[in-house]
Amino acid sequence: PCSSRPERPGVHQSPYRLVSHGGYFGDIEVFHNILRVAGARCESASGTLLLVSKVDLKEVVNEFPQFATKWRVAAKRRDQARILQLAKLKFQQTFEELAA
């Protein structure tokens, strides 16, 4: 599994959310033109991480405008869930402990 964690330069970072196969994150930052709030690290020897650039995501949204509103709403809903999950973080865990 790949772990998602807040980007905080100079601060030890611990995962607080695991992103499973087919999962994704980062679209809220593109839709609202804000700085990235999470990063990813793949913890699997056989895992794959697909990077979609801001330009490419915006191009897809422009090509399929009929889905743009649904994508934005889904991004906002997932970001609100991320914020609630982060607020519940009481102590640091390794990705192994988090996945257990």
Side-chain angles (χ1 to χ4, degrees):
C2 295
S3 61
S4 176
R5 56 183 165 44
E7 290 289 335
R8 297 179 58 201
V11 176
H12 176 72
Q13 299 175 352
S14 297
Y16 67 94
R17 181 175 56 162
L18 298 180
V19 180
S20 62
H21 175 76
Y24 65 97
F25 67 96
D27 49 344
I28 191 75
E29 293 89 349
V30 174
F31 291 139
H32 291 279
N33 200 29
I34 58 177
L35 293 176
R36 183 172 52 127
V37 297
R41 182 179 71 222
C42 190
E43 298 290 349
S44 169
S46 62
T48 302
L49 180 71
L50 173 66
L51 173 73
V52 178
S53 72
K54 179 189 278 191
V55 171
D56 288 342
L57 181 58
K58 285 185 174 186
E59 187 175 311
V60 170
V61 171
N62 289 336
E63 285 185 37
F64 300 96
Q66 67 272 28
F67 299 114
T69 299
K70 288 184 180 187
W71 285 333
R72 285 183 173 90
V73 168
K76 183 66 175 172
R77 183 176 50 245
R78 280 195 347 272
D79 191 54
Q80 289 171 338
R82 179 194 64 81
I83 291 167
L84 289 173
Q85 191 175 25
L86 183 58
K88 293 178 183 178
L89 184 64
K90 302 292 183 203
F91 56 91
Q92 294 182 344
Q93 294 177 294
T94 67
F95 74 92
E96 292 98 344
E97 293 167 331
L98 186 61

